[in-house]
Amino acid sequence: LYENVLATGGYDGSLLFWIISGKESRPYVQAHVPAAHEGAIWSMDWHPAGHLLCTGSNDRTCKFWSRMRPGSVKEDYYNGYIREVSELDILKSVGQDPP
């Protein structure tokens, strides 16, 4: 579905979505999420259909990122990538420490 999108995770917890082919002659960053995780991103995997990305981090969380489908209205801050709420986000919002 999105064969021209490459996702990379950083040691600083940042997440980048690259466009690696298309009109531009060189790859370019389509979206940058500077604080996707509080720790280094160690693993990530795409859903087979290509619309969902799961990231795993040294902060002991997994987060899911969904890709807007072609023709969808932009409704977020990351150029088409929406972060799902994690258990850690919920615990932080009520002032609890993670297990």
Side-chain angles (χ1 to χ4, degrees):
L1 185 61
Y2 298 103
E3 294 176 358
N4 63 338
V5 177
L6 171 70
T8 59
Y11 187 75
D12 61 353
S14 65
L15 180 63
L16 292 124
F17 294 94
W18 297 80
I19 300 298
I20 57 174
S21 64
K23 297 178 217 169
E24 300 287 325
S25 59
R26 298 180 52 174
Y28 64 94
V29 175
Q30 181 190 37
H32 176 218
V33 186
H37 283 275
E38 292 181 10
I41 296 175
W42 292 109
S43 62
M44 56 178 58
D45 198 10
W46 288 100
H47 183 277
H51 69 290
L52 189 65
L53 176 71
C54 179
T55 57
S57 170
N58 197 38
D59 64 9
R60 301 185 318 172
T61 63
C62 291
K63 295 186 180 180
F64 295 89
W65 305 80
S66 66
R67 174 83 164 109
M68 286 177 49
R69 300 191 190 287
S72 296
V73 177
K74 182 178 176 182
E75 56 189 48
D76 64 27
Y77 300 111
Y78 302 119
N79 295 325
Y81 295 90
I82 303 169
R83 183 177 65 93
E84 301 294 328
V85 176
S86 71
E87 181 182 1
L88 181 61
D89 293 326
I90 294 167
L91 290 173
K92 284 182 181 178
S93 72
V94 296
Q96 293 183 8
D97 291 328

